[in-house]
């Protein structure tokens, strides 16, 4: 299986999560700026990672525009979502999951979120997320 792990990280927390996902699934890491929507068709599954920003939204400068271009191509695609947050209760992830399901994507597993820097448990959950993309 060809798997992409596409992320945006401002502090390195979501990047650490992306590395754990990629290690577990053998996926190729891409930053949001490196992943044009045309790449979606080249992968069997995609993990998207983005932290909560502002009022619990996806990062708006790079990630959101990239994801908006990819979204129409996600119908029937196996995906997984992950990210970190500094405040709130994970509303951004619930909204993102709803948006992905409405686009016809198939969520491979429960999304993984962690507050601030991922600890060992969060990284283990990221590894499980990566494994779910392969199975």
């Amino acid at each position: 299986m060809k798997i992409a792990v596409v992320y945006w990280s401002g502090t390195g927390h979501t990047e650490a999560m992306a590395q754990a996902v990629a290690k577990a699934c053998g996926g190729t890491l891409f930053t949001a700026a490196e992943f044009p929507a045309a790449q979606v068709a080249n992968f069997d599954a995609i993990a998207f990672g983005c932290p909560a920003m502002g009022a619990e939204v996806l990062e708006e400068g790079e990630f959101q525009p990239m994801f908006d271009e990819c979204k129409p191509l996600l119908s029937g695609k196996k995906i997984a979502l992950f990210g970190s947050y500094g405040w709130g209760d994970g509303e951004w992830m619930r909204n993102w999951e709803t948006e992905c399901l409405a686009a016809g994507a198939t969520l491979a597993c429960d999304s993984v979120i962690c507050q601030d820097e991922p600890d060992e448990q969060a990284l283990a959950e990221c590894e499980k997320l990566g494994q779910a993309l392969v199975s």
Side-chain angles (χ1 to χ4, degrees):
M1 279 188 90
K2 280 187 74 174
I3 300 172
V5 180
V6 184
Y7 72 95
W8 185 91
S9 186
T11 62
H13 300 332
T14 301
E15 181 177 11
M17 297 173 80
Q19 290 171 348
V21 171
K23 181 180 175 185
C25 68
T28 304
L29 275 172
F30 297 92
T31 64
E34 299 169 332
F35 195 79
Q39 285 274 48
V40 169
N42 297 330
F43 292 92
D44 301 305
I46 304 172
F48 289 103
C50 186
M53 304 295 286
E56 288 208 65
V57 297
L58 297 173
E59 190 278 326
E60 297 171 305
E62 290 180 22
F63 193 88
Q64 185 73 60
M66 176 278 304
F67 189 75
D68 286 344
E69 290 180 15
C70 291
K71 190 168 40 174
L73 307 172
L74 296 180
S75 183
K77 184 72 68 174
K78 188 176 188 180
I79 68 166
L81 307 175
F82 63 93
S84 60
Y85 64 100
W87 60 89
D89 69 352
E91 179 183 2
W92 105 100
M93 186 60 71
R94 291 189 300 275
N95 293 340
W96 193 13
E97 289 169 342
T98 300
E99 186 178 352
C100 290
L101 291 171
T106 301
L107 293 176
C109 60
D110 290 340
S111 300
V112 175
I113 63 173
C114 72
Q115 189 166 16
D116 299 319
E117 184 175 359
D119 59 14
E120 287 183 31
Q121 179 182 347
L123 293 175
E125 289 177 21
C126 288
E127 290 174 10
K128 288 179 187 174
L129 183 146
Q131 292 164 358
L133 287 170
V134 176
S135 62

